[in-house]
Amino acid sequence: FGTILSEPLPLTPESLKVSINSTKQCLHLQWTVHNLDYHQELKMVFQIQISRLKASNVIWMGNYSTTVKRNQVLHWSWESELPLECAIHFVRMRTMVDDARIPAPRFWSNWSSWEKADAQNSLGDHPLYVFPKDKLVEEGSDVTICYISRNHQDNISCYLEDELTYGKQLDQNVWAFELKNVSFHRKTGTNFYCKGQGVPEGVVLFVSKVLEEPKDFSCETRDLKTVTCTWDPGSDTGLIQLPSYTLFDSFSGKKTLCKHRNRCDWQVTQDSQEVYNFTLVAENYFRKRSVSILFNLIHGVHPLAPYNLFPKSVSATNVTMTWKVSSIGHNSALLCQLQLLGEGKQHNISVRVNGEYLLSELKPDTEYMARVRCAYADHFWKWSELISQNFTTAEAAPSEAPDVWRDVTFVSGHPTVTLFWKPLSKVHTNGKILFYNVVVENLDEPSSLEVLSVPAPANSTKVTLNQSSYQIYVTAHNSVGPSPASAVAISGHPENENVEEGRVNGTEDGFHMSWKPQSRNATGYVVEWCDDPQNLPCVLRWKNLGPTNTGTVISSDAFRPGVRYNFRIYEISAKRMAHLLEKKAGYLKELAPSYNPEVATINLTSHSFTLSWKDYSTESQTGFIQGYYVYLKSKTGEKCHREFEKTILPDNSVGCKYTIDNPDQKTFVVKDLQPESVYEFFVTPYTSAGEGPLDDFTKVTTPDDYSHILIHIILPMIFCVLVVMITCYLKSQWLKDKCYPDIPDPYKSSVLSLIKFKENPRITIMNVNDCVPDAIEVVNKPEGSKIQFTGTRKSPTETKGTKPVYLDLLPTENYSGPGPCICFENFTYNQAASDLGYCGHFPVTPQAPHCQLGPLTSPENLLKTLEQNYMNSLGEIPAGEANLNYVSQLASPTSGDKESPPANPPEPVLCSEYKMQMAIPLGLASPAPSENSSLSSTALLNPSEHCH
């Protein structure tokens, strides 16, 4: 249009139509402008108003500008934050020409009529509806949800993820809920539902995370044929539909859709373009993100990793490494770097196709790892990936002598040497150690050598020597050869052990010890100890030190608190001879004693007692014993003695405590005690860490003051009684023979040989018939004297003037010589006679004529006569006065009382050695024979048996 229109045209929008898109919750407007001339195009502005619920309630008004042709159908959409199903909407518009060709002033046209948009008409008869359906929103945005209820009486509650939500009422049947700053819960969506009396209804909100701008966008090429761009897409949006990525080059105007969310390939063309301006665009439903980079193809070469890395010509100290590389362009050169892991060395090599490099000064029998990487030589930008290969060098002879030590013991004057050596470190073995050679050289006999082979992995051996001096060499052998020798000198005589033992304190680092050198020619020092001295045999450990060292720290993972460790420090002479320098003992950490000594109570008196205990084994001590505590308790609650101090025991009882600060003291005297009192004591050692455990107290009771005197009397008496009993037991047969002789056997009596048997020569036992007495006299106890039967011994007054009862055989009147007699005596039956020792033996009168001894009357007649006289005498003897008199067989023929011996003692009567025992009642006994009273034997004898 070359001319300018002079007057405005009344261009009013016509044919306005409004439709509803429920999926996107949009109102879609469609209209035309009919008053334009043909082929006329004008730039126009359309002003639109949207009302809700009623036409007067305008909720939005805005302008839409576009170029309009005659009869052109125009379209415009408006997205509602409130679901369109929840309210009726009204739309109208007007227009104004905004073309530069139309001179001012410009005027708005008239409003079009209101067009109504009602989505509720399409709803069915369901009692409850919730909108919008399957809404897609971005995290952090606001969302409005509404429900439509057909039943006005329902009490409806709505929930967002089970949390009650409150809204506002739009009209009688509609409630709206505005959700602010919606958050992402899960990829499957966020639940919103309402429930009343019927079935609950709800919707799912699909919340998307905000699309992030790609980070670390860069491009490179590995072969100058393909450019690969990479980036970090950021966090996932959480939607099933992923964002799309597009790579665009502004220089060539080409673009490519990327197949991956973090990488994209761009093919290099043959037009030799080297510089690119790449833009990466990320896009999803809600927004777009873009980032750009300027890329030079030559400056962004990242070579591929090398391959076929392989070692060849491997020796103990050298190896040649070979590898291959991928070509770039027209055989461009690459810079490759060879690394030996652990050595810290790098070697750079220029390679086109194949690479090769010699590595030297390696360690024998050592595993290495070689690594190779390459970069573009023309313009370095980035190393390729590393490739690696392991290899092991060949073995070599061990490079260091073994660390050797010895333990010498003497058996029957001959030294037995136990050799110990430490395994060589991996650095010095140079291969697998197969065995150890031990060469024993007698220094007194240099030609005498003894070679021992000890298979690995043994680290000790024993050698028995004589009293000569020796030099012992130890070498380690692998498949290549031996190591240097380690020498130890052994003397044939015991070393000086009279070295005072010192103490060393342990710390967290170990034992710090020092010593004073004794010789200026020392070639070194050795500290020896046991890691676990409580378990035998001891595992010997040692530490070699140089000649300038006069101190060291001994540490070991095996050291434990409460264990005593003994250290021995040796000085090594120039001849490799070891001399004991010092002894030290210590604890890594002292502990309180774990048990108490066994205490014995000795020298118990009424006022004191002595406690005694034995010494501890030094190996069982958990610390250096500094002394002992003696605890004493009294049942009577006495005050503590002068040397004790009052203390509270762990059981809250009160006791007395005495401290012994001398660890060598093993006895203690408790004094000033009360007799017949109960005391309790307890002894425990203590170290710098504390005292021993509290055991049970031991009770002791003091005796009274006189008990020791009684003991001094009773014990000798008991000893004497025991001696007498033992003597009696040993001399029992002798005592029996002296005090209780055996009764003679009548068959063995010697009297039988004196009797000539006339009537019966077979009779061997002497009977009454064998004696020919002249008379038997029965002596009666004088009247007035009564015999006691109480079984008790008579007093001297009762027995005074009493004659013993006896029965004697008297000779005939014509018998003048000593005649045989029979004496009956038994002191058991007659106590009086026993007391007096009387036996009735009477001599015959000298006037009696001599006659031959005739046989007695028969025993039957004699017994009858005796029985008759006995019965006659019973009536004359008062009751209770009858008694029996037993007369000893071997008694002397004496008369009268012991106390009143006769003036004219009779001569011994010839009696037989054996006298028959008879018990005769005292009633038959006659008084003592006298001149006036005698009984002729004829009263008892047969007339034919009288002596003539």
Side-chain angles (χ1 to χ4, degrees):
F1 302 95
T3 59
I4 298 176
L5 298 178
S6 58
E7 55 185 42
L9 299 175
L11 302 176
T12 304
E14 298 177 0
S15 304
L16 177 60
K17 296 180 180 179
V18 180
S19 60
I20 298 175
N21 187 341
S22 297
T23 303
K24 296 184 178 182
Q25 291 295 316
C26 292
L27 289 178
H28 186 69
L29 280 65
Q30 178 180 331
W31 70 97
T32 61
V33 178
H34 296 293
N35 296 332
L36 287 178
D37 295 335
Y38 288 100
H39 307 294
Q40 185 179 14
E41 291 184 2
L42 291 177
K43 186 176 180 180
M44 302 182 68
V45 177
F46 297 91
Q47 191 175 62
I48 305 172
Q49 283 186 347
I50 300 177
S51 300
R52 180 175 293 162
L53 298 177
K54 56 185 178 179
S56 60
N57 184 23
V58 177
I59 61 172
W60 186 87
M61 185 175 68
N63 295 332
Y64 170 64
S65 299
T66 185
T67 301
V68 181
K69 296 181 180 180
R70 180 181 176 84
N71 296 328
Q72 180 182 357
V73 179
L74 301 176
H75 300 273
W76 181 81
S77 296
W78 174 76
E79 184 177 359
S80 173
E81 73 281 0
L82 178 70
L84 298 176
E85 293 84 353
C86 296
I88 301 174
H89 290 80
F90 300 90
V91 180
R92 71 176 182 175
M93 68 171 58
R94 62 182 179 177
T95 184
M96 180 180 66
V97 177
D98 189 22
D99 199 301
R101 295 171 298 172
I102 301 298
R106 302 185 177 101
F107 302 95
W108 287 103
S109 68
N110 296 326
W111 289 100
S112 65
S113 60
W114 289 101
E115 292 292 331
K116 180 179 179 182
D118 187 3
Q120 295 183 2
N121 292 333
S122 61
L123 299 179
D125 297 331
H126 199 274
L128 182 64
Y129 293 94
V130 180
F131 295 101
K133 299 294 185 181
D134 301 331
K135 178 74 171 178
L136 181 61
V137 296
E138 193 174 44
E139 186 179 28
S141 60
D142 299 337
V143 179
T144 301
I145 300 177
C146 69
Y147 75 81
I148 301 173
S149 175
R150 300 298 190 184
N151 190 348
H152 307 302
Q153 306 300 325
D154 280 352
N155 187 13
I156 298 175
S157 300
C158 295
Y159 302 86
L160 177 66
E161 291 291 327
D162 298 329
E163 182 179 352
L164 183 62
T165 304
Y166 299 95
K168 62 180 180 179
Q169 189 174 10
L170 297 182
D171 63 11
Q172 187 177 6
N173 299 329
V174 179
W175 283 75
F177 302 86
E178 188 174 358
L179 306 180
K180 298 288 187 178
N181 194 17
V182 178
S183 60
F184 176 86
H185 285 87
R186 64 185 73 88
K187 285 187 176 183
T188 55
T190 302
N191 297 320
F192 182 92
Y193 62 94
C194 300
K195 61 182 181 180
Q197 295 180 355
V199 179
E201 286 290 333
V203 294
V204 178
L205 293 178
F206 293 98
V207 181
S208 169
K209 292 184 179 181
V210 178
L211 179 65
E212 296 182 8
E213 181 180 289
K215 302 179 183 65
D216 302 327
F217 179 49
S218 64
C219 299
E220 64 181 22
T221 179
R222 314 208 69 168
D223 54 3
L224 298 178
K225 298 178 181 179
T226 303
V227 175
T228 301
C229 297
T230 58
W231 62 90
D232 178 12
S235 60
D236 188 6
T237 58
L239 297 178
I240 298 176
Q241 185 178 1
L242 298 177
S244 62
Y245 293 89
T246 304
L247 186 61
F248 172 72
D249 175 32
S250 61
F251 291 162
S252 63
K254 298 179 180 178
K255 66 178 181 180
T256 180
L257 183 62
C258 301
K259 299 179 180 179
H260 308 278
R261 66 185 300 259
N262 62 347
R263 180 173 60 86
C264 193
D265 293 332
W266 182 278
Q267 298 299 321
V268 177
T269 60
Q270 299 297 325
D271 56 4
S272 68
Q273 180 181 352
E274 292 186 2
V275 180
Y276 297 84
N277 185 14
F278 288 122
T279 299
L280 178 66
V281 178
E283 182 179 6
N284 68 356
Y285 178 80
F286 299 101
R287 65 183 68 228
K288 289 182 179 181
R289 300 284 190 179
S290 62
V291 61
S292 299
I293 188 176
L294 189 64
F295 174 69
N296 189 310
L297 186 64
I298 302 300
H299 294 174
V301 178
H302 181 198
L304 295 173
Y307 59 97
N308 288 351
L309 179 62
F310 184 76
K312 69 177 184 179
S313 303
V314 181
S315 66
T317 57
N318 299 325
V319 66
T320 300
M321 302 300 301
T322 62
W323 67 94
K324 294 182 178 181
V325 296
S326 301
S327 61
I328 296 180
H330 301 287
N331 293 329
S332 300
L334 296 179
L335 176 65
C336 294
Q337 187 179 78
L338 176 62
Q339 301 174 355
L340 200 59
L341 195 64
E343 294 294 316
K345 296 180 179 180
Q346 300 177 353
H347 308 279
N348 295 328
I349 308 101
S350 179
V351 178
R352 292 187 179 274
V353 178
N354 298 324
E356 182 175 304
Y357 191 80
L358 175 65
L359 295 173
S360 59
E361 298 180 358
L362 304 180
K363 298 175 182 178
D365 190 47
T366 304
E367 184 178 0
Y368 291 94
M369 175 184 287
R371 302 191 304 182
V372 176
R373 60 182 180 178
C374 298
Y376 191 52
D378 293 342
H379 191 283
F380 177 83
W381 180 62
K382 185 184 291 186
W383 288 108
S384 68
E385 294 83 359
L386 281 167
I387 62 169
S388 60
Q389 178 66 44
N390 293 341
F391 66 92
T392 302
T393 54
E395 292 188 359
S399 60
E400 188 173 287
D403 186 358
V404 179
W405 188 236
R406 88 291 177 277
D407 181 36
V408 183
T409 58
F410 284 82
V411 179
S412 300
H414 294 277
T416 298
V417 180
T418 303
L419 292 172
F420 301 91
W421 54 84
K422 296 178 182 178
L424 293 175
S425 64
K426 180 66 177 175
V427 177
H428 301 110
T429 56
N430 296 339
K432 182 180 179 182
I433 300 299
L434 303 177
F435 61 92
Y436 295 88
N437 261 1
V438 179
V439 179
V440 182
E441 179 185 3
N442 190 333
L443 298 180
D444 298 334
E445 300 177 7
S447 60
S448 177
L449 292 177
E450 181 182 358
V451 180
L452 302 176
S453 181
V454 181
N459 60 351
S460 65
T461 187
K462 281 189 177 182
V463 180
T464 302
L465 309 176
N466 56 30
Q467 294 181 347
S468 301
S469 296
Y470 288 86
Q471 192 90 1
I472 301 178
Y473 303 92
V474 180
T475 55
H477 293 249
N478 61 12
S479 61
V480 178
S483 69
S486 182
V488 175
I490 304 296
S491 174
H493 304 285
E495 60 185 2
N496 181 25
E497 292 286 341
N498 297 326
V499 177
E500 184 178 356
E501 184 179 81
R503 291 186 178 182
V504 60
N505 296 324
T507 63
E508 294 181 355
D509 300 331
F511 292 92
H512 295 258
M513 59 183 63
S514 60
W515 56 88
K516 295 181 180 180
Q518 289 185 351
S519 173
R520 295 182 178 179
N521 298 325
T523 60
Y525 299 92
V526 174
V527 181
E528 170 189 289
W529 74 93
C530 288
D531 272 350
D532 194 359
Q534 295 179 342
N535 293 330
L536 297 178
C538 163
V539 179
L540 191 65
R541 303 294 184 193
W542 70 94
K543 184 176 182 180
N544 267 308
L545 299 166
T548 59
N549 294 96
T550 57
T552 186
V553 178
I554 303 298
S555 60
S556 173
D557 294 336
F559 287 160
R560 293 177 290 112
V563 178
R564 182 189 182 102
Y565 294 97
N566 299 309
F567 300 92
R568 297 162 68 93
I569 303 172
Y570 292 87
E571 185 179 71
I572 309 301
S573 66
K575 296 182 178 180
R576 302 301 301 167
M577 193 75 68
H579 302 280
L580 182 60
L581 192 63
E582 291 185 16
K583 293 181 182 178
K584 293 182 183 294
Y587 295 84
L588 186 67
K589 180 182 180 182
E590 290 191 55
L591 301 179
S594 57
Y595 63 95
N596 301 314
E598 295 182 2
V599 183
T601 305
I602 59 176
N603 301 334
L604 178 62
T605 67
S606 58
H607 295 283
S608 67
F609 59 85
T610 301
L611 303 178
S612 177
W613 58 92
K614 294 182 180 180
D615 199 357
Y616 273 83
S617 169
T618 56
E619 299 301 328
S620 63
Q621 296 177 8
T622 57
F624 292 112
I625 301 299
Q626 297 182 352
Y628 298 88
Y629 292 137
V630 180
Y631 292 93
L632 185 67
K633 292 196 300 185
S634 173
K635 292 293 186 181
T636 59
E638 299 176 9
K639 294 183 179 180
C640 294
H641 297 149
R642 178 179 55 193
E643 299 175 345
F644 287 79
E645 61 178 353
K646 187 175 181 181
T647 183
I648 303 298
L649 300 176
D651 58 355
N652 295 327
S653 62
V654 180
C656 299
K657 177 181 177 181
Y658 181 81
T659 301
I660 300 175
D661 54 7
N662 181 13
D664 296 328
Q665 180 178 339
K666 301 299 183 297
T667 60
F668 180 73
V669 180
V670 183
K671 299 179 293 186
D672 301 331
L673 305 180
Q674 297 297 325
E676 297 184 88
S677 300
V678 178
Y679 294 91
E680 295 180 81
F681 68 86
F682 166 65
V683 178
T684 181
Y686 66 89
T687 65
S688 62
E691 60 183 280
L694 183 64
D695 290 339
D696 296 333
F697 280 72
T698 302
K699 293 184 179 180
V700 61
T701 303
T702 55
D704 55 36
D705 289 334
Y706 304 101
S707 60
H708 66 283
I709 300 176
L710 296 177
I711 290 175
H712 289 308
I713 297 175
I714 293 174
L715 287 180
M717 291 180 63
I718 294 175
F719 177 75
C720 294
V721 170
L722 289 176
V723 171
V724 171
M725 292 178 63
I726 293 172
T727 304
C728 291
Y729 177 77
L730 297 176
K731 298 293 184 178
S732 60
Q733 189 62 36
W734 180 81
L735 291 173
K736 181 179 179 184
D737 293 341
K738 294 297 181 182
C739 300
Y740 304 100
D742 293 338
I743 299 175
D745 189 351
Y747 289 94
K748 299 178 181 179
S749 178
S750 62
V751 74
L752 296 178
S753 62
L754 304 176
I755 302 176
K756 297 180 180 180
F757 300 96
K758 298 179 180 181
E759 298 181 0
N760 190 0
R762 295 183 180 180
I763 299 176
T764 59
I765 301 176
M766 181 177 66
N767 295 321
V768 178
N769 307 19
D770 300 332
C771 295
V772 187
D774 288 337
I776 297 176
E777 182 178 6
V778 178
V779 182
N780 287 329
K781 186 176 182 181
E783 295 179 6
S785 178
K786 296 183 180 181
I787 306 299
Q788 300 291 333
F789 287 92
T790 62
T792 60
R793 188 179 181 89
K794 294 183 181 70
S795 64
T797 59
E798 293 175 340
T799 60
K800 185 175 183 182
T802 303
K803 301 289 185 175
V805 181
Y806 66 93
L807 174 62
D808 204 346
L809 298 180
L810 301 177
T812 61
E813 294 177 358
N814 298 329
Y815 183 68
S816 59
C821 66
I822 298 175
C823 179
F824 298 89
E825 181 181 38
N826 193 332
F827 296 131
T828 306
Y829 299 138
N830 190 342
Q831 188 65 33
S834 173
D835 294 338
L836 298 174
Y838 179 81
C839 184
H841 295 262
F842 294 92
V844 296
T845 59
Q847 292 82 8
H850 294 276
C851 68
Q852 294 181 349
L853 289 174
L856 288 171
T857 183
S858 63
E860 293 82 358
N861 296 331
L862 176 59
L863 293 175
K864 288 179 181 180
T865 303
L866 293 174
E867 182 180 1
Q868 182 178 2
N869 293 334
Y870 171 67
M871 297 301 295
N872 292 334
S873 65
L874 287 176
E876 301 174 1
I877 301 173
E881 291 183 357
N883 200 350
L884 298 178
N885 184 24
Y886 179 83
V887 183
S888 176
Q889 302 174 14
L890 302 179
S892 305
T894 61
S895 62
D897 200 328
K898 285 182 180 181
E899 298 177 0
S900 302
N904 298 319
E907 296 178 359
V909 182
L910 296 176
C911 295
S912 65
E913 294 178 5
Y914 175 77
K915 299 178 180 63
M916 185 177 180
Q917 306 176 19
M918 293 184 65
I920 300 177
L922 294 178
L924 293 178
S926 63
S930 63
E931 296 177 356
N932 298 328
S933 63
S934 64
L935 179 61
S936 175
S937 64
T938 58
L940 299 174
L941 299 174
N942 230 332
S944 60
E945 297 174 346
H946 283 222
C947 294
H948 299 283

